[in-house]
Amino acid sequence: MQFGIFTVGDVTADPTTGRTPSEYERIKNTVAIALKAEEVGLDVFATGEHHNPPFVPSSPTTLLGHIAARTERLILSTSTTLITTNDPVKIAEDYATLQHLADGRVDLMMGRGNTGPVYPWFGQDIRQGIPLAVENYALLHRLWREDVVDWEGKFRSALQGFTSTPRPLDGVPPFVWHGSIRSPEIAEQAAYYGDGFFANHIFWPKQHTEKMVGLYRRRYAHYGHGTPEQAIVGLGGQVFMRKNSQDAVREFRPYFDNAPVYGHGPSLEEYTRETPLTVGSPQEVIERTLSFREYVGDYQRQLFLVDHAGLPLKTVLEQLDMLGEEVVPVLRKEFADMRPAGVPETAPLHPAVERTAAERTRTQEA
């Protein structure tokens, strides 16, 4: 099973000090967080894509390309690539280039984006979000698999005899997840193509996630890709840890109360009760994360959000230490022990990644 972190890249004032990091500082800190993720043994680093304040990750491939040059094992992903407001031709080119630079350590998560004002900045209408997601991904899927594409649709100019360059590394496109908070159409899209489905798993209660993942699994089987249990599922999650749960709650409360997304709404206690947010000890995070399997089944990727709401870099790095040293090793073993035969252990990896890992193992054994 793959474990990692994702960032939304918010620039938020620390409510305990009033200090707001600069964009420069936030971007540099994001790189430091990714490097720390590899250092502590996590598998995946994923970045969101935003084009509006107070967020900085407007160019995921630039960020991930830089991180690729400074890491060796880390899988580099997006926690949203905006399939609605990005041109699928440019997505095909950019992520294939990144795939070459990272020796195959790349996948990406398609998402619609839910910030209405962003759509007209790129000549689109949020009311067309679902049709845009369906049409644009249909084109992207072909661009990575066909050397010459003739295509005509509703939302962009037609293509005649078009070849996207560079071609995917070794002819194998990056693995694609389709991420959604609430749209069953996106679960259907993921199932149709046999791609992965990533349930955001942050804002909604477990019953909603259970329904979305269940729909995806049933439709994955319907389209002939395998059994429902073999469908590739990823989950998000939020954690904040200290050795003692009381310390974790006390320290995290001002960040929760002032967070740009859910601040000034439900109380911390209500939110942790009704959603997967876990604030407590490492053992509590282990137990809560293991419980996800009860309603989504065996899944392949777990990403945690740990760097939002103005948390200082020092605190985030401490969270990563606890994940790498105390939480993830236990989760790896427990999930592996419970996984039935025939159910994929991880999301698909590019053959170049598997070759590199095998070579690294042979070198170590020698």
Side-chain angles (χ1 to χ4, degrees), residues 3-7 33-34 37 42 44-46 302-304 306 320 323:
F3 293 92
I5 56 171
F6 71 100
T7 181
I33 290 165
L42 300 185
V44 183
F45 172 82
Q302 174 67 58
L303 301 183
F304 296 106
V306 297
L320 291 173
L323 277 176

Side-chain angles (χ1 to χ4, degrees), residues 31-45:
V31 174
I33 290 165
L35 300 183
K36 184 70 171 181
E38 176 164 279
E39 177 189 321
V40 302
L42 300 185
D43 306 304
V44 183
F45 172 82

Side-chain angles (χ1 to χ4, degrees), residues 8 10-11 38 58 108 133 144 155 174 179 190 238 289-290 303 312 354 366:
V8 295
D10 60 309
V11 179
E38 176 164 279
S58 59
L108 65 163
W144 274 339
F155 296 107
Q238 293 172 277
T289 305
L290 289 173
L303 301 183
E354 296 179 327

Side-chain angles (χ1 to χ4, degrees), residues 240-242 244-257 268-269 272 278-281 284:
F240 185 86
M241 295 174 285
R242 288 303 182 205
N244 299 310
S245 58
Q246 297 90 339
D247 293 337
V249 171
R250 183 176 61 253
E251 185 175 344
F252 187 66
R253 188 180 300 279
Y255 296 96
F256 175 89
D257 289 345
L268 176 58
E269 286 73 18
T272 53
T278 307
V279 181
S281 66
E284 287 175 303

Side-chain angles (χ1 to χ4, degrees), residues 25-93:
E25 183 179 357
R26 185 67 171 100
I27 292 168
K28 289 289 190 177
N29 286 352
T30 301
V31 174
I33 290 165
L35 300 183
K36 184 70 171 181
E38 176 164 279
E39 177 189 321
V40 302
L42 300 185
D43 306 304
V44 183
F45 172 82
T47 177
E49 178 185 346
H50 297 277
H51 297 275
N52 56 294
F55 304 97
V56 294
S58 59
S59 181
T61 50
T62 304
L63 175 65
L64 295 177
H66 179 73
I67 294 170
R70 301 186 61 184
T71 54
E72 296 181 354
R73 296 178 294 98
L74 202 61
I75 298 169
L76 306 172
S77 184
T78 55
S79 49
T80 302
T81 295
L82 297 177
I83 189 62
T84 48
T85 52
N86 282 307
D87 182 354
V89 172
K90 196 70 171 76
I91 294 176
E93 296 171 340

Side-chain angles (χ1 to χ4, degrees), residues 50 80 82 84 111-119 126 181-182 203:
H50 297 277
T80 302
L82 297 177
T84 48
R112 289 186 296 129
N114 56 11
T115 306
V118 172
Y119 277 70
I126 194 172
I181 297 175
R182 60 185 176 274
F203 300 115

Side-chain angles (χ1 to χ4, degrees), residues 282-296:
Q283 185 59 37
E284 287 175 303
V285 169
I286 290 169
E287 293 172 0
R288 188 75 177 279
T289 305
L290 289 173
S291 75
F292 299 163
R293 181 179 177 273
E294 297 171 5
Y295 54 92
V296 302

Side-chain angles (χ1 to χ4, degrees), residues 83-227:
I83 189 62
T84 48
T85 52
N86 282 307
D87 182 354
V89 172
K90 196 70 171 76
I91 294 176
E93 296 171 340
D94 285 351
Y95 285 92
T97 301
L98 177 61
Q99 189 191 41
H100 283 269
L101 291 171
D103 299 321
R105 293 184 289 124
V106 173
D107 58 35
L108 65 163
M109 185 192 306
M110 300 299 173
R112 289 186 296 129
N114 56 11
T115 306
V118 172
Y119 277 70
W121 298 345
F122 295 89
Q124 302 297 349
D125 182 344
I126 194 172
R127 293 171 294 184
Q128 297 296 318
I130 293 292
L132 275 164
V134 171
E135 180 178 298
N136 283 354
Y137 184 65
L139 174 55
L140 175 62
H141 192 268
R142 290 185 59 192
L143 290 170
W144 274 339
R145 290 164 175 81
E146 301 176 26
D147 289 339
V148 181
V149 173
D150 294 320
W151 181 89
E152 185 174 350
K154 177 181 178 181
F155 296 107
R156 77 172 315 280
S157 56
L159 298 172
Q160 293 183 344
F162 180 78
T163 299
S164 174
T165 60
R167 304 305 297 147
L169 177 63
D170 298 333
V172 180
F175 183 72
V176 169
W177 303 83
H178 299 259
S180 179
I181 297 175
R182 60 185 176 274
S183 302
E185 296 91 342
I186 302 304
E188 176 76 18
Q189 184 182 41
Y192 176 81
Y193 288 101
D195 295 335
F197 179 66
F198 191 91
N200 179 279
H201 204 222
I202 287 179
F203 300 115
W204 292 65
K206 65 182 182 181
Q207 292 85 353
H208 175 76
T209 301
E210 181 178 19
K211 289 179 181 178
M212 292 286 285
V213 173
L215 170 63
Y216 161 68
R217 289 188 184 279
R218 291 192 301 274
R219 299 303 288 172
Y220 181 95
H222 168 80
Y223 289 115
H225 301 299
T227 67

